[in-house]
Amino acid sequence: MKTFSVEIVTPINVISEENVRYIRCPGLDGSFGVLKNHREGIIALGVGEVKIENENSTEWYATSGGFAEITSDKIELLLESIEKSNDIDVKRATKAIERARERKVEPQDNKIDSSRLEASLARAINRLKVSKK
């Protein structure tokens, strides 16, 4: 099977993967997969999981969103954050979920706090889900 490269760029880190056969990303309108020679484009990403299939393994990552730039032989992910499934702190993610759910019960004074609360809860739930892969 044909392979391509993946470069993941965050504000604090760059991760390069070679010989990738397939990648699935969380687009804002739903997940999408990429193989070599995919149609070029730039796609906005949301909170979700990134699945990368190499020659011999599959890696899972949790992301909080960003953009994917796709060319025929490379995909570059420009992300706010990314965590490999086995690097996720399960206790921290669980505490974040509990904290967000407690705050949801409290009355919200403004819409911004409510939006940030929902985003925080979605990120924590996603991290916990990906940690189990």
Side-chain angles (χ1 to χ4, degrees), residues 85-123:
S85 62
N86 57 356
D87 292 338
I88 293 172
D89 185 338
V90 174
K91 286 183 183 178
R92 182 173 161 233
T94 302
K95 286 181 182 178
I97 291 169
E98 291 170 2
R99 192 170 46 251
R101 287 186 175 151
E102 287 172 7
R103 290 180 181 160
K104 268 183 102 169
V105 175
E106 298 170 8
Q108 297 296 315
D109 290 336
N110 63 45
K111 192 171 187 167
I112 295 173
D113 287 341
S114 178
S115 297
R116 289 195 337 215
L117 176 63
E118 291 297 328
S120 175
L121 182 58
R123 288 190 305 269

Side-chain angles (χ1 to χ4, degrees), residues 43-96:
I43 301 172
L45 304 176
V47 173
E49 61 187 30
V50 174
K51 175 185 179 183
I52 299 176
E53 292 182 7
N54 294 310
E55 294 289 325
N56 301 314
S57 65
T58 300
E59 303 288 342
W60 297 88
Y61 297 87
T63 183
S64 59
F67 293 92
E69 181 177 9
I70 304 165
T71 62
S72 63
D73 62 345
K74 181 179 180 180
I75 180 169
E76 186 172 15
L77 303 181
L78 306 170
L79 304 173
E80 296 172 21
S81 67
I82 192 160
E83 288 180 275
K84 197 171 183 178
S85 62
N86 57 356
D87 292 338
I88 293 172
D89 185 338
V90 174
K91 286 183 183 178
R92 182 173 161 233
T94 302
K95 286 181 182 178

